[in-house]
Amino acid sequence: MQVGETQWSAPERKIANNALEIACQRETDALIREVRKGVGELNAIEDLWRLHDFLSARRHYIDGKYDDSEAGIVFVLAGLVKEGWLSMDELDGLDEAKLAKITALNRFF
Amino acid sequence: MQVGETQWSAPERKIANNALEIACQRETDALIREVRKGVGELNAIEDLWRLHDFLSARRHYIDGKYDDSEAGIVFVLAGLVKEGWLSMDELDGLDEAKLAKITALNRFF
């Protein structure tokens, strides 16, 4: 499966970039809800540093995740669908081959 | 001023350690209030990473600050008084020489 060599039209790039933005905002909103919940339980200095460790880990994970290069975007989209941040119908407009690759990749994750 | 060579009795160490604990809890409480306030304004991923940067800086600062070695504790106590986390009367029970050193160091900070 040569996902790295997939060609992207301009409208497809736009669909993919929009999907990444939507997914990133959903993931951010969930993270903000989690932080707000955790902040209600802060009492000691160790609680603050636990929150700091949690944010460090999430930042490292999210920073590395939203790769929008043409070589990586199919993997990223597949991962986001798998995690529930995107649904396949939000990728409508991509060609059949890309959609089939995303569906197939989902089985590997 | 040879603060590094100061001798500490067991009751004085207890007073100093209690003072450090009190100051650390006050500084922690203030930090928690600041984080709670900031969390109310979280909307975007950049806001989360700004909170993370803020906690990184505070952690680095606080971790290095509460040095309870006999060589360092006079400096630490003086700094905490200067910053308002401790008052001089909370150091009652330390000998006059130590109190004088703490007061004198305050003028250097």
Side-chain angles (χ1 to χ4, degrees):
Chain A
M1 192 166 48
Q2 296 177 316
V3 289
E5 295 170 18
T6 306
Q7 297 299 307
W8 291 78
S9 67
E12 283 183 317
R13 279 306 312 228
K14 193 168 179 187
I15 290 165
N17 287 341
N18 283 346
L20 287 188
E21 274 182 35
I22 290 168
C24 187
Q25 190 59 50
R26 285 176 184 155
E27 191 163 6
T28 300
D29 290 345
L31 185 51
I32 288 172
R33 283 195 296 276
E34 206 167 342
V35 169
R36 284 193 175 133
K37 192 178 165 197
V39 162
E41 294 158 11
L42 292 177
N43 288 301
I45 198 83
E46 296 76 19
D47 303 329
L48 275 167
W49 301 164
R50 206 172 299 121
L51 171 63
H52 177 247
D53 288 339
F54 170 73
L55 285 173
S56 297
R58 298 305 292 171
R59 187 173 193 169
H60 180 75
Y61 174 70
I62 291 176
D63 272 355
K65 179 177 181 178
Y66 286 88
D67 170 15
D68 67 351
S69 69
E70 295 206 349
I73 200 164
V74 161
F75 292 98
V76 177
L77 292 171
L80 291 168
V81 171
K82 184 75 176 180
E83 292 171 359
W85 301 119
L86 279 182
S87 59
M88 285 301 292
D89 60 9
E90 289 172 309
L91 300 175
D92 276 355
L94 300 188
D95 70 24
E96 287 304 316
K98 291 186 188 70
L99 293 173
K101 284 171 186 167
I102 290 169
T103 302
L105 280 168
N106 259 327
R107 297 197 199 103
F108 290 104
F109 288 153
Chain B
M1 192 164 51
Q2 297 177 315
V3 289
E5 295 172 16
T6 306
Q7 297 299 307
W8 291 78
S9 67
E12 283 184 316
R13 279 305 314 227
K14 193 168 178 186
I15 290 165
N17 287 342
N18 282 346
L20 287 188
E21 274 182 35
I22 290 167
C24 187
Q25 189 58 51
R26 285 176 184 154
E27 191 164 5
T28 301
D29 289 346
L31 186 50
I32 288 172
R33 282 195 296 275
E34 205 168 343
V35 169
R36 283 193 176 133
K37 191 179 164 197
V39 162
E41 294 157 10
L42 292 177
N43 288 300
I45 198 85
E46 295 76 19
D47 303 329
L48 275 168
W49 302 164
R50 207 172 298 120
L51 171 64
H52 177 249
D53 288 339
F54 170 74
L55 285 173
S56 298
R58 298 306 293 174
R59 188 174 193 169
H60 180 75
Y61 174 70
I62 291 176
D63 272 355
K65 179 177 181 177
Y66 287 88
D67 171 14
D68 67 351
S69 69
E70 293 206 350
I73 200 163
V74 161
F75 292 97
V76 178
L77 292 171
L80 291 168
V81 171
K82 184 74 176 179
E83 292 170 358
W85 301 119
L86 279 181
S87 59
M88 285 302 292
D89 60 10
E90 289 174 308
L91 301 175
D92 275 355
L94 300 188
D95 69 26
E96 287 304 315
K98 291 185 188 70
L99 292 172
K101 284 172 187 167
I102 290 168
T103 302
L105 279 168
N106 259 327
R107 297 197 199 104
F108 291 104
F109 288 153

